[in-house]
Amino acid sequence: MEGVQKKGYGIFLIIIANVNLWVVLGNLTISIHAEGDLVKIWSGIITFMLLLVDMIALKLYLIYQEKVEEKSMKQLYAEQVRMYDEELHEKQKTIDGVRRTRHDIKNHMIYLQELLTDNPDEAKKFLKEYLGENIDNKSELSKSGNLAVDALINYKNIIAREKGITIHLESQIPAELPYESTDLSIILGNLLDNAMEATEKLEVEKDIFVSLRYQKEKLLIKVRNPYTGDLKKDRAGNYISEKKDCENHGIGLKSVRKVVEKYEGVTEIHTEDQTFEVYVIL
């Protein structure tokens, strides 16, 4: 509905501008050929009023555009916060599961201790069966101790694996960072989403490289991925995605830049040899 309203408003504005243009030209023609001063005065007044209407209509259209963009940004932030809350909840469930596992391991060790005393052969059998269990820890890619970063990256890693994409992570960050958790989720979430969108189109080498470093009170985030085809930009020079949802083209990187500006940081994008690299410094 917003897209239809936006298109309709733009068409209405064009119609007004064209009608007014023809009326203004007609007025000017009349004023040139008219002999009376009164006709020329009224022609000038009408021309001025029409131009004023055009300026007011244009101003209203610009205000409307700003409100639409602001609404889209608010919806995006709300979605990012909701996603972060879900990931936080999943991470808490994982922590609870680890606690239960530790409790179970303790009970197993007590049992094993008794077996070692009374029946060593049975203890070996029990230990062999216990160690033979297949525990999948591949989804736990990030183990920095920072709940926001670990939850986001591990969640995206699960999605990437389902798409046949491998995320390579190099992380040197402390458990505590001087940034809001939602802001970190917005930056990492959007960068990884964009990287996966580009990488899943490839036939081979579906690899995303992520680097996180915290040095001298500065956080450096680097995401590098291959891509195919040509990159698209809007009129302002911003990269846009190829999603079918045209209203949200390019909003991801805009959200990243907005968060980076909040911390007076820097965002840089480099493209060379079909490789896309994003650098963020906070």
Side-chain angles (χ1 to χ4, degrees):
M1 289 299 295
E2 286 180 0
V4 172
Q5 291 174 358
K6 182 178 178 181
K7 185 177 180 180
Y9 198 99
I11 293 173
F12 179 68
L13 183 65
I14 292 172
I15 291 173
I16 290 179
N18 278 279
V19 171
N20 284 359
L21 176 62
W22 284 106
V23 174
V24 167
L25 291 174
N27 269 328
L28 290 173
T29 303
I30 292 173
S31 65
I32 290 172
H33 294 89
E35 296 180 357
D37 292 336
L38 185 60
V39 175
K40 292 182 178 181
I41 291 172
W42 276 107
S43 177
I45 292 173
I46 292 173
T47 301
F48 173 76
M49 294 299 295
L50 291 174
L51 291 175
L52 183 62
V53 169
D54 282 342
M55 287 189 290
I56 292 174
L58 179 60
K59 181 63 177 178
L60 290 175
Y61 180 72
L62 293 175
I63 293 174
Y64 173 78
Q65 288 279 65
E66 291 176 358
K67 288 184 177 181
V68 169
E69 185 174 355
E70 182 181 356
K71 184 178 179 181
S72 298
M73 294 296 293
K74 287 181 178 179
Q75 290 176 344
L76 178 65
Y77 276 114
E79 179 64 20
Q80 295 283 357
V81 171
R82 183 194 63 79
M83 183 183 69
Y84 168 72
D85 288 339
E86 289 182 356
E87 292 166 357
L88 192 63
H89 178 68
E90 291 297 323
K91 190 66 176 181
Q92 187 61 49
K93 288 172 59 177
T94 302
I95 292 174
D96 293 339
V98 171
R99 289 174 179 170
R100 289 192 298 269
T101 301
R102 289 180 61 186
H103 179 74
D104 292 341
I105 290 175
K106 182 178 179 181
N107 291 333
H108 288 322
M109 293 303 100
I110 293 173
Y111 175 63
L112 181 61
Q113 186 178 23
E114 293 296 326
L115 286 178
L116 287 172
T117 303
D118 299 335
N119 192 339
D121 293 334
E122 188 67 23
K124 291 180 181 179
K125 182 180 178 182
F126 172 79
L127 190 59
K128 183 178 180 180
E129 292 176 354
Y130 184 77
L131 294 178
E133 293 180 354
N134 183 22
I135 302 175
D136 185 10
N137 290 322
K138 294 181 180 179
S139 61
E140 289 291 321
L141 179 65
S142 181
K143 302 177 183 179
S144 68
N146 186 288
L147 186 58
V149 173
D150 291 345
L152 193 287
I153 292 180
N154 291 331
Y155 176 75
K156 296 298 182 183
N157 186 46
I158 294 174
I159 297 176
R161 288 171 57 195
E162 292 175 352
K163 296 180 178 182
I165 300 171
T166 302
I167 297 179
H168 305 270
L169 175 65
E170 181 183 353
S171 178
Q172 296 180 10
I173 61 172
E176 299 294 332
L177 289 169
Y179 314 104
E180 293 184 16
S181 298
T182 52
D183 291 337
L184 292 175
S185 295
I186 288 172
I187 293 174
L188 289 171
N190 281 296
L191 293 183
L192 288 174
D193 284 343
N194 291 343
M196 285 192 288
E197 180 187 345
T199 307
E200 67 179 331
K201 299 175 184 177
L202 301 174
E203 297 295 334
V204 294
E205 296 183 359
K206 295 186 176 184
D207 298 291
I208 298 174
F209 298 87
V210 181
S211 176
L212 304 174
R213 294 177 180 273
Y214 188 73
Q215 296 176 341
K216 298 180 180 179
E217 300 182 352
K218 293 291 182 181
L219 176 63
L220 171 62
I221 301 173
K222 182 174 73 171
V223 177
R224 175 166 55 90
N225 63 271
Y227 68 91
T228 183
D230 297 325
L231 297 175
K232 296 182 179 180
K233 294 184 180 181
D234 59 18
R235 294 181 178 179
N238 299 313
Y239 289 97
I240 59 176
S241 68
E242 296 182 357
K243 297 176 182 176
K244 295 181 180 179
D245 184 7
C246 298
E247 292 294 322
N248 291 324
H249 275 189
I251 289 182
L253 284 176
K254 287 182 181 178
S255 298
V256 171
R257 287 192 173 97
K258 190 169 184 179
V259 174
V260 173
E261 289 174 2
K262 174 182 175 181
Y263 295 98
E264 298 181 353
V266 178
T267 303
E268 289 187 1
I269 297 176
H270 300 284
T271 58
E272 186 178 358
D273 298 330
Q274 296 297 106
T275 300
F276 191 91
E277 288 186 334
V278 182
Y279 296 84
V280 172
I281 300 177
L282 298 179

